[in-house]
């Protein structure tokens, strides 16, 4: 399995082999696409006894793209040691569950509104956004257009993935709604599912076809205008939408790492459930993807 990863990432261009020591102090190509460059600009370097890869740039095949600094040092992993996510359950000592509401179905997209001390969440099948406060649950927005995922913009507005209407919508602090985007290059989205807002204000979201399947059932394909289920970035400042990823079968939940250099995306297709980690490049596009973990489908 590790040998397959080495080949996929392009380590073979450095003549690396799993479990074998190799001298790379002279530098070597680290990324497969860069291995085909006429010259080598993506360096692997030994410094102070640590192994570093050159900082990623948009185009390492030109002299201007030569790394000007190093990334984080590689962690040394002993042969046979696993760096995979533990499958064991982790419990918080003395944690307690409190029932806040019941008699609800198919809940999605919970977000905590710290300014107003309330929890906002979607009940997809009843076409409703609810809010929970200390005094109970009340209606926040209906119809919600079968919203699933919700998130906050940096200014406190809510971004809601209105899957039933196949669009991304902003809900301001006064409760007014505005459609931000509902298509890519003139073709309607499938059903935006989940979104996350970067610190620069851009909105990154997934667009599987679950909403289409829920609304149209076995006829969903007739209403699908895009060729697949993709990941996008929407920039409210320029009103532009950028296609980021076409390689996942059903991208679903997503989240940034704390430093926003990695975008984690969950894929929820039956038989292909996994979490991927994508490198976020300075130009706000996705770079190398790595598998974080696979998730087995449990059937009764």
């Amino acid at each position: 399995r590790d040998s397959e990863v080495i080949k996929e990432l392009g380590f073979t261009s450095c003549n690396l082999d799993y479990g074998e020591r190799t001298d790379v102090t002279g530098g070597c190509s680290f990324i497969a696409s860069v291995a085909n460059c006429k010259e080598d600009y993506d360096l692997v370097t030994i410094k102070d006894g640590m192994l570093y890869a050159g900082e990623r740039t948009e185009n390492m095949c030109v002299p201007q793209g030569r790394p000007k600094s190093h990334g984080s040092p590689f962690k040394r992993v002993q042969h046979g040691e696993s760096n995979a996510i533990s499958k064991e359950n982790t419990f918080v000592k003395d944690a307690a569950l409190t029932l806040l509401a019941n008699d609800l179905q198919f809940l999605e997209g919970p977000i905590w509104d710290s300014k107003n001390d309330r929890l906002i969440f979607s009940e997809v099948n009843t076409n409703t956004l609810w809010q929970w406060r200390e005094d109970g649950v009340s209606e926040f927005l209906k119809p919600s257009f079968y919203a699933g995922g919700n998130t906050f913009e940096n200014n406190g507005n809510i971004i809601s993935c209105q899957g039933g209407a196949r669009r991304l919508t902003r809900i301001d602090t006064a409760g007014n709604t505005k459609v931000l985007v509902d298509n890519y290059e003139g073709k309607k989205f499938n059903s935006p599912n989940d979104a996350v807002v970067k610190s620069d204000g851009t909105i990154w979201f997934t667009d599987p076809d679950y909403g289409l399947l829920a609304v149209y059932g076995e006829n969903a394909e007739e209403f699908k205008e895009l060729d697949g289920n993709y990941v996008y970035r929407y920039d409210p400042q320029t009103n532009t939408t950028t296609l980021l990823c076409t390689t996942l079968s059903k991208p679903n939940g997503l989240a940034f790492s704390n430093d926003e250099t990695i975008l984690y995306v969950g894929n929820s297709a039956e038989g292909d459930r996994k979490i991927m980690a994508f490198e976020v490049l300075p130009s706000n596009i996705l770079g190398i993807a790595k598998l974080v973990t696979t998730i087995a489908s449990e059937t009764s």
Side-chain angles (χ1 to χ4, degrees), residues 8-85:
E8 181 180 347
L9 292 179
F11 288 155
T12 51
S13 62
C14 297
N15 297 316
L16 298 184
D17 193 12
Y18 183 72
E20 300 294 330
R21 293 177 179 269
T22 304
D23 183 4
V24 295
T25 55
C28 70
S29 181
F30 179 61
I31 308 301
S33 60
V34 181
N36 299 320
C37 299
K38 294 181 179 179
E39 295 184 54
D40 182 12
Y41 296 108
D42 190 6
L43 303 180
V44 173
T45 307
I46 300 288
K47 181 181 178 183
D48 299 327
M50 301 294 289
L51 179 64
Y52 293 81
E55 176 191 32
R56 282 283 290 172
T57 64
E58 291 185 55
N59 186 357
M60 296 183 181
C61 292
V62 297
Q64 306 92 286
R66 186 182 181 91
K68 300 203 171 35
S69 63
H70 295 118
S72 300
F74 289 99
K75 176 185 176 183
R76 184 168 190 163
V77 179
Q78 298 297 328
H79 182 67
E81 179 182 339
S82 174
N83 63 350
I85 293 177

Side-chain angles (χ1 to χ4, degrees), residues 257-274:
S257 61
N258 286 339
D259 61 3
E260 299 183 334
T261 61
I262 299 173
L263 180 69
Y264 297 97
V265 183
N267 194 71
S268 56
E270 185 68 31
D272 189 27
R273 294 179 179 173
K274 58 192 176 185

Side-chain angles (χ1 to χ4, degrees), residues 248-296:
L248 297 177
S249 51
K250 283 191 189 293
N252 200 313
L254 72 173
F256 282 110
S257 61
N258 286 339
D259 61 3
E260 299 183 334
T261 61
I262 299 173
L263 180 69
Y264 297 97
V265 183
N267 194 71
S268 56
E270 185 68 31
D272 189 27
R273 294 179 179 173
K274 58 192 176 185
I275 298 175
M276 301 295 296
F278 291 86
E279 178 185 21
V280 179
L281 301 181
S283 57
N284 257 1
I285 61 173
L286 299 180
I288 298 169
K290 294 183 180 180
L291 176 67
V292 176
T293 186
T294 57
I295 303 169

Side-chain angles (χ1 to χ4, degrees), residues 166 187-191 209 211-213 215-227:
R166 307 169 72 170
K187 296 182 179 181
K188 290 187 69 66
F189 292 129
N190 300 319
S191 50
D209 57 2
L212 283 178
L213 293 169
V215 174
Y216 300 110
E218 61 183 18
N219 297 319
E221 280 296 322
E222 299 177 19
F223 297 89
K224 196 169 185 176
E225 298 184 16
L226 292 161
D227 295 331

Side-chain angles (χ1 to χ4, degrees), residues 72-149:
S72 300
F74 289 99
K75 176 185 176 183
R76 184 168 190 163
V77 179
Q78 298 297 328
H79 182 67
E81 179 182 339
S82 174
N83 63 350
I85 293 177
S86 172
K87 295 183 179 178
E88 297 180 2
N89 293 324
T90 301
F91 296 94
V92 179
K93 187 177 180 180
D94 300 325
L97 291 176
T98 301
L99 179 63
L100 300 181
N102 54 14
D103 296 327
L104 297 167
Q105 307 172 51
F106 196 177
L107 304 183
E108 286 268 15
I111 50 174
W112 179 254
D113 181 1
S114 58
K115 293 182 179 179
N116 297 290
D117 291 324
R118 62 183 176 179
L119 179 72
I120 296 171
F121 58 95
S122 302
E123 187 177 25
V124 181
N125 60 315
T126 64
N127 199 15
T128 308
L129 280 182
W130 297 97
Q131 59 183 352
W132 174 88
R133 298 179 188 266
E134 288 288 348
D135 58 354
V137 175
S138 60
E139 189 176 287
F140 177 72
L141 180 67
K142 188 178 180 72
S144 67
F145 296 95
Y146 300 96

